[in-house]
């Protein structure tokens, strides 16, 4: 029953319809960090022009749950060029670092497999923020809580697809049953490989499988995705063991010092007597 | 564009690093006191008494920075009770969740030891308490409190190690170990300072404490070296300005190396009271700067 999205970046045109649809459906305001005050102007003025191709969103944030990246690739002789686009969001990991980290059960997985933050429960401890291996979940000063894409939790539980997939004019973002999406992805991959093009799927193995996975035409890092993401909690057992061993070591040091000297002293005393 | 897009939590150092330090010192002191209580001769009780008088008052301060750093401080109780179900909640893979619960256990043990000493010192007396006084299993909560104390000193390091921030992830699995060792050393320094204040800083007990502290501080240096090797390139922030002063000068030089040299030297050539006092203060300051440096180096 797990739902998800398949993002075929090779047919994305960078129109940002998904970003707009996401903002509208989820009622998200503009990113406060992108606006500044200018003297004499009564309203906030946008000041986040990144100079990075057509990208002025920059990163995912508490109010930007979708982010279209623009990657300009030009070879050294400036003859060959390629413009890559990719629409990024929360991956709804099967082993989600953010969900593992949350101490209050504010982050939960629904029956459809998506990962959501329950705003009424979140205390704003911010532990989930560095625990996401994709840098997705973000803290909002305004609400004092963590926010991220919900996979349109309200829509998908009422038989609709996600707003971004609905708005995407090229079918680059597809919503559906995970199994169907994988079939589609494999077929598309085979088609591209057949044409001799470089292509790879990102998200089959990572974090036990990403519910939102991608078809990339280049290495993941070109698209701003980590090459070897690690669910950070997988280090927990080793870290705990080393810490416990150290505790035993410190305990032993204390024992040796407090006991040995005690015995030594006892001997001295008995010698004296 | 950098593929390292993992966001920092932006925990305020004046809350979180200070919490790491205060809790670590309290836990270290408690553990040392308990060890003296359990394995000492029983003749002198100065160290274990000092430990109890330090551990609990420090712990009382702890909730303040922890709650103040939350985005929604008024909801702090969600750490213990799932607000939508009304039942207690514990997430075993989240050091923050387990740590919150263990903090409760540790506080209870520290409170009991604190009261115990107040009664023994006849500062307070409860008729009811006194009646049952001798039946309280003191050793039991000393052991339980020490275990919880170790957890409190160490889990904060593990908490940093199990995030995806490059520096914190690269230093895995040593941060917890370093925090435990540092907590033991600042705990010992706090006890020594208390004893100086009460003018009880002499005798075999204090010597044993010093011997223990020397071992701990040498291992702290070794752990810092190992941690930096593990960190590799992610430790580069530690080479930039505020960190050179805080970490290298403050923690490593003034907080560990100089006090250690002082300790070895003073065994043969006793120094005056002022330098002794100063070197304990240096150890404490070094411990605080260690937490601030390692927290902030991961958030840059
Ligand atoms: S991508 Fe990050 S925020 Fe989304 S589910 Fe995975 S860990 Fe959580
Ligand atoms: S900030 Fe909120 S969602 Fe994130 S770990 Fe803390 S309580 Fe959970």
């Amino acid at each position: 029953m797990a739902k998800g999205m398949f993002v075929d970046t090779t047919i994305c045109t960078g129109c940002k319809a998904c970003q707009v649809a996401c903002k509208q459906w989820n009622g998200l305001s503009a990113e406060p960090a992108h606006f500044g005050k200018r003297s004499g102007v009564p309203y906030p003025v946008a000041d986040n022009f990144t100079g990075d191709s057509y990208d002025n969103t920059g990163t995912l944030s508490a109010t930007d749950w979708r982010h279209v990246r623009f990657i300009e690739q030009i070879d050294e002789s400036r003859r060959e060029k390629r413009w890559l686009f990719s629409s990024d969001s929360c991956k709804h990991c099967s082993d989600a670092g953010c969900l593992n980290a949350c101490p209050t059960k504010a982050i939960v997985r629904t029956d459809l497999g998506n990962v959501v933050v329950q705003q009424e429960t979140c205390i704003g401890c911010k532990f989930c923020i560095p625990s996401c291996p994709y840098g997705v979940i973000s803290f909002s000063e305004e609400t004092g809580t963590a926010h991220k894409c919900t996979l349109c939790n309200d829509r998908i539980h009422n038989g609709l697809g996600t707003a971004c997939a609905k708005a995407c004019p090229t079918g680059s973002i597809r919503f559906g049953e995970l199994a169907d999406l994988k079939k589609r992805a494999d077929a598309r991959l085979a088609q591209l490989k057949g044409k001799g093009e470089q292509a790879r799927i990102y998200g089959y193995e990572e974090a036990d499988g990403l519910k939102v996975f991608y078809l990339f035409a280049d290495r993941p890092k070109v698209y701003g995705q980590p090459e070897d993401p690690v669910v950070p909690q997988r280090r927990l057992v080793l870290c705990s063991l080393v810490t416990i061993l150290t505790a035993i070591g410190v305990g032993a040091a204390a024992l040796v010092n407090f006991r040995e000297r005690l015995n030594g002293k006892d001997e001295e005393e008995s010698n004296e007597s | 564009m950098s593929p390292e897009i993992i966001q920092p939590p932006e925990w305020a150092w004046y809350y979180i690093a200070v919490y790491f330090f205060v809790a670590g010192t309290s836990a270290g002191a408690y553990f040392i006191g308990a060890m003296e209580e359990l394995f000492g001769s029983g003749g002198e009780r100065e160290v274990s008494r000092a430990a109890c008088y330090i551990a609990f008052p420090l712990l009382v301060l702890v909730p303040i920075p922890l709650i103040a750093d939350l985005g929604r401080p008024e909801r702090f109780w969600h750490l213990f009770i799932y607000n939508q179900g009304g039942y207690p909640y514990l997430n075993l893979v989240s050091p923050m969740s387990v740590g919150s619960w263990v903090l409760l256990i540790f506080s209870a043990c520290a409170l009991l030891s604190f009261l115990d000493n107040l009664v023994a010192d006849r500062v307070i007396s409860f008729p009811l308490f006194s009646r049952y006084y001798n039946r309280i299993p003191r050793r039991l909560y000393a052991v339980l409190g020490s275990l919880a104390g170790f957890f409190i000193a160490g889990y904060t390091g593990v908490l940093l190690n199990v995030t995806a921030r490059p520096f914190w992830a690269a230093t895995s699995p040593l941060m917890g170990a370093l925090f435990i060792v540092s907590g033991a050393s600042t705990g010992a320094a706090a006890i020594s300072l208390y004893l100086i204040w009460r003018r009880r800083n002499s005798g075999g007990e204090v010597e044993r404490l010093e011997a223990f502290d020397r071992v701990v501080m040498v291992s702290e240096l070794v752990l810092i070296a190992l941690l930096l090797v593990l960190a590799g390139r992610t430790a580069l922030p530690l080479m930039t300005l505020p960190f050179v002063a805080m970490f290298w000068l403050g923690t490593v030089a003034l907080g560990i190396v100089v006090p250690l040299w002082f300790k070895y030297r003073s065994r043969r050539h006793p120094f005056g009271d002022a330098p002794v006092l100063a070197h304990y203060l240096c150890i404490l300051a070094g411990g605080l700067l260690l937490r601030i440096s390692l927290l902030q180096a991961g958030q840059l």
Side-chain angles (χ1 to χ4, degrees):
Chain A
M1 267 296 284
K3 303 279 188 191
M5 290 196 281
F6 166 48
V7 184
D8 180 352
T9 66
T10 59
I11 54 171
C12 175
T13 60
C15 71
K16 300 194 194 177
C18 51
Q19 280 192 226
V20 176
C22 178
K23 289 250 178 204
Q24 289 192 328
W25 180 264
N26 294 299
L28 300 172
S29 59
E31 171 56 45
H34 291 173
F35 291 86
K37 281 206 180 78
R38 194 167 301 163
S39 64
V41 186
Y43 44 83
V45 179
D47 57 8
N48 67 310
F49 302 107
T50 63
D52 180 15
S53 196
Y54 278 27
D55 185 3
N56 287 321
T57 311
T59 55
L60 293 171
S61 77
T63 56
D64 289 329
W65 294 355
R66 265 220 172 268
H67 168 214
V68 180
R69 286 174 203 272
F70 296 77
I71 302 128
E72 294 177 20
Q73 291 182 324
I74 303 166
D75 74 346
E76 280 197 18
S77 60
R78 302 193 69 78
R79 240 168 248 167
E80 295 290 319
K81 55 186 182 298
R82 177 161 82 151
W83 207 5
L84 302 176
F85 315 108
S86 121
S87 183
D88 191 16
S89 73
C90 170
K91 280 92 188 152
H92 297 274
C93 316
S94 297
D95 185 8
C98 61
L99 187 150
N100 294 342
C102 181
T104 64
K105 205 176 177 179
I107 306 184
V108 290
R109 189 184 300 284
T110 79
D111 53 336
L112 295 180
N114 53 326
V115 177
V116 298
V117 187
Q118 308 183 87
Q119 290 302 319
E120 337 60 284
T121 302
C122 175
I123 59 174
C125 70
K126 299 175 270 229
F127 189 30
C128 52
I129 312 247
S131 301
C132 166
Y134 297 99
V136 171
I137 191 164
S138 309
F139 181 71
S140 158
E141 294 290 347
E142 226 163 289
T143 61
T145 54
H147 297 261
K148 70 173 192 68
C149 155
T150 67
L151 203 72
C152 285
N153 197 36
D154 46 359
R155 291 176 63 100
I156 64 175
H157 279 93
N158 287 288
L160 298 169
T162 55
C164 51
K166 180 93 180 166
C168 179
T170 65
S172 167
I173 306 177
R174 286 205 183 258
F175 172 83
E177 288 288 332
L178 218 50
D180 299 343
L181 293 174
K182 283 189 176 165
K183 255 185 242 152
R184 180 180 276 276
D186 292 336
R188 175 70 178 149
L189 184 69
Q191 185 189 33
L192 287 173
K193 287 241 161 110
K195 290 205 299 179
E197 284 182 37
Q198 229 202 56
R200 73 192 72 208
I201 305 274
Y202 183 79
Y204 278 176
E205 271 94 49
E206 288 79 3
D208 282 356
L210 308 180
K211 300 244 157 42
V212 177
F213 60 101
Y214 300 80
L215 189 130
F216 287 152
D218 207 330
R219 299 183 64 95
K221 79 160 186 263
V222 169
Y223 293 90
Q225 303 296 351
E227 300 263 330
D228 311 294
V230 181
V231 180
Q233 287 79 17
R234 298 202 180 157
R235 285 191 290 269
L236 185 62
V237 172
L238 181 64
C239 286
S240 308
L241 276 180
V242 170
T243 309
I244 291 169
L245 283 179
T246 313
I248 294 176
V250 173
L255 208 62
V256 168
N257 280 295
F258 294 161
R259 196 148 218 180
E260 201 181 55
R261 303 198 159 224
L262 184 73
N263 293 343
K265 207 169 158 203
D266 284 348
E267 274 164 33
E268 271 167 36
E269 272 166 16
S270 51
N271 287 349
E272 276 164 25
S273 59
Chain B
M1 183 177 299
S2 139
E4 294 296 358
I5 42 166
I6 290 126
Q7 297 186 42
E10 278 165 18
W11 285 319
W13 66 264
Y14 43 85
Y15 290 141
I16 299 304
V18 168
Y19 158 67
F20 286 1
F21 169 72
V22 172
T25 304
S26 163
Y30 189 90
F31 148 77
I32 291 168
M35 286 306 257
E36 269 287 349
E37 174 97 42
L38 296 173
F39 301 107
S41 59
E44 308 161 280
R45 286 204 61 250
E46 293 307 332
V47 166
S48 52
R49 180 183 314 165
C52 294
Y53 284 151
I54 290 169
F56 184 69
L58 280 184
L59 266 183
V60 172
L61 301 175
V62 149
I64 303 169
L66 278 186
I67 292 177
D69 196 58
L70 295 179
R72 301 297 289 261
E74 78 284 4
R75 293 181 178 174
F76 78 93
W77 56 274
H78 293 189
L79 283 166
F80 302 107
I81 309 277
Y82 177 45
N83 71 323
Q84 306 197 33
Y87 52 81
Y89 182 66
L90 170 68
N91 177 355
L92 281 177
V93 291
S94 168
M96 195 178 287
S97 176
V98 183
S100 309
W101 283 101
V102 177
L103 203 51
L104 282 190
I105 299 175
F106 181 47
S107 306
C109 294
L111 173 64
L112 283 176
S113 301
F114 184 70
L115 290 178
D116 190 18
N117 273 285
L118 285 181
V119 172
D121 287 351
R122 297 182 197 289
V123 179
I124 55 166
S125 72
F126 303 120
L128 200 66
F129 193 79
S130 314
R131 182 157 2 125
Y132 296 105
Y133 179 69
N134 285 321
R135 281 194 243 154
I136 300 175
R138 231 163 302 162
R139 301 211 151 187
L140 181 75
Y141 61 73
V143 171
L144 188 67
S146 300
L147 293 178
F150 265 132
F151 187 95
I152 292 305
Y155 94 96
T156 50
V158 175
L159 184 148
L160 296 183
N161 274 164
V162 299
T163 67
R165 288 290 297 171
F167 175 67
W168 294 339
T171 49
S172 158
L174 287 186
M175 206 84 104
L178 177 58
F179 280 14
I180 281 200
V181 171
S182 164
S185 134
T186 54
I191 292 178
S192 303
L193 277 178
Y194 180 90
L195 293 178
I196 290 179
W197 175 51
R198 308 297 301 197
R199 297 181 198 287
R200 297 237 165 87
N201 56 323
S202 57
E205 257 189 333
V206 177
E207 248 170 58
R208 294 204 289 273
L209 187 62
E210 283 293 303
F212 168 71
D213 204 12
R214 285 194 294 269
V215 176
V216 165
M217 286 175 75
V218 170
S219 20
E220 194 177 352
L221 274 184
V222 173
L223 275 172
I224 289 184
L226 285 176
L227 189 115
L228 290 176
V229 170
L230 273 187
R233 292 183 56 80
T234 60
L236 281 182
L238 290 176
M239 303 295 171
T240 57
L241 192 61
F243 292 102
V244 171
M246 271 198 309
F247 184 72
W248 292 106
L249 202 67
T251 302
V252 177
L254 288 176
I256 306 176
V257 175
V258 172
L260 205 52
W261 169 83
F262 181 87
K263 278 188 200 298
Y264 277 107
R265 238 201 101 109
S266 61
R267 290 170 77 189
R268 260 164 291 137
H269 312 274
F271 290 88
D273 285 347
V276 172
L277 185 79
H279 105 278
Y280 288 129
L281 289 175
C282 277
I283 295 178
L284 284 180
L288 175 60
L289 289 173
L290 175 77
R291 313 306 158 95
I292 299 179
S293 306
L294 296 184
L295 183 78
Q296 292 305 85
Q299 300 205 89
L300 279 185

